[in-house]
Amino acid sequence: MNTTTGQLTGRVHSWDLSTGVDGPGTRFVLFVSGCPLRCLYCANPDTWHMRDGRPVAVDEVMAEIDKYRPFVTTAGGGVTLTGGEPLLQPAFTGSVLRRCKEAGLHTALDTSGFLGARADDALLADTDLVLLDIKSFDVATYRKLTGGELAPTLRFATRLDRLGIPVWIRYVLVPGWTDDAVAVDGLGAFLAGLHHIDRVDVLPFHKLGTHKYDALGIPFPLRDTPGPGPELTARVRAQFRAHGLRAF
Ligand code: SF4
C-alpha cells in the first residue's frame, strides 16, 4: 500500500455502483465534488460546490472499493471517477487512480476536459479510459451552454490521442442547443481525425435532475425544453457514423 497518499483527503459527493453507462462492465462510480462549469442541462447541481462534499481520505475510498471488488472484477468493470469534475481535485483524483491501478483495477475518468491541463502525465498513465464530455462544437454555443470555453477540451482530446488513451465521447443532445447539423458535423470531422475514439455516445437530454434544482432553490434553465425525439437522436448518430465513428 502507498501510505504517502493514503491520508490525502478529497471532497466527495457520493459513490455508487452502475452498469453500462460509466464505462465497460459494472463500475464503482466515485462522484467527486466541485465543477467549474454550469451546464444548463446539468443533472447533478448538487455536485457543483467542493465545499458541499464530504472530506474523504484516499484510504477510505479504497476500502470502500474493496468491498465491491468481486462485482467490478467479475463483470469486466472497474472504477470510474466522475462528478462534478474530478480534475478540480487532481491530486486526490490522481491518487485514487494510482491506487486502483496498484490494485489491478480498470480505471475510467469522466471529465469535460475543461481542466485537462491539470491532469499530469502520471495521472493519465493511470487512466485506462477517458469518458470525454464534449458539450458542443460551436464556440459560442459552448460558452452559453456551459459558462466555459471549448478550446481546452479540444486540446485535451488531442493530447489524449497523442498519448494513445482510449476515449469514449459523450454528447448530450438538447433540442435547440446541440442539434445544429453543422456543429455536429464539425465535431464528427474533428473526432474522425483522432485515432483512439472507441465510441461516441449520443445521450438524449433528460430532466431527471429537476427535483435537485427545486431542493437547492435554484432555477433549472431547461425546465421547459423537451428531450429529443427518436428521429433527431437517430439523425445525430447517423451524422457521427458518416464520419466512420461508432455512435450509439
Ligand atoms: S460539467 Fe458535468 S457536473 Fe459540471 S455543470 Fe456540466 S454537466 Fe454538471
Side-chain angles (χ1 to χ4, degrees), residues 37 111-118 132-134 142 148-160 190:
L37 300 182
T111 175
S112 72
F114 182 65
L115 300 179
R118 294 197 187 181
L132 184 62
D133 305 298
I134 301 186
Y142 191 98
E149 298 298 321
L150 170 63
T153 296
L154 301 187
R155 275 199 298 273
F156 190 53
T158 305
R159 180 174 162 219
L160 293 172
F190 170 76

Side-chain angles (χ1 to χ4, degrees), residues 35 37-39 41-44 47-48 83-85 112 135:
C35 184
L37 300 182
R38 291 291 177 268
C39 302
Y41 56 65
C42 183
N44 296 310
T47 67
W48 282 350
E85 172 52 69
S112 72
K135 284 127 190 327

Side-chain angles (χ1 to χ4, degrees), residues 5-162:
T5 59
Q7 301 308 313
L8 185 71
T9 296
R11 291 273 178 168
V12 168
H13 176 273
S14 58
W15 48 70
D16 208 348
L17 276 190
S18 84
T19 302
V21 285
D22 299 296
T26 296
R27 318 290 301 179
F28 179 95
V29 183
L30 184 70
F31 293 84
V32 179
S33 288
C35 184
L37 300 182
R38 291 291 177 268
C39 302
L40 298 182
Y41 56 65
C42 183
N44 296 310
D46 49 339
T47 67
W48 282 350
H49 299 291
M50 236 175 93
R51 63 172 182 265
D52 293 340
R54 185 169 72 88
V56 179
V58 174
D59 277 347
E60 186 182 342
V61 175
M62 298 313 298
E64 201 61 30
I65 289 172
D66 205 43
K67 290 185 201 166
Y68 297 97
R69 195 182 166 94
F71 298 101
V72 301
T73 48
T74 53
V79 175
T80 298
L81 274 72
T82 184
E85 172 52 69
L87 294 180
L88 194 59
Q89 302 182 62
F92 175 72
T93 290
S95 295
V96 173
L97 291 168
R98 175 92 286 266
R99 290 281 296 277
C100 287
K101 289 317 297 171
E102 285 172 358
L105 294 164
H106 179 274
T107 56
L109 174 69
D110 179 14
T111 175
S112 72
F114 182 65
L115 300 179
R118 294 197 187 181
D120 61 19
D121 286 351
L123 184 152
L124 294 178
D126 290 327
T127 304
D128 294 315
L129 171 70
V130 172
L131 310 175
L132 184 62
D133 305 298
I134 301 186
K135 284 127 190 327
S136 169
F137 198 65
D138 178 80
V139 169
T141 304
Y142 191 98
R143 196 177 292 136
K144 272 190 250 167
L145 189 62
T146 69
E149 298 298 321
L150 170 63
T153 296
L154 301 187
R155 275 199 298 273
F156 190 53
T158 305
R159 180 174 162 219
L160 293 172
D161 203 54
R162 247 192 345 262

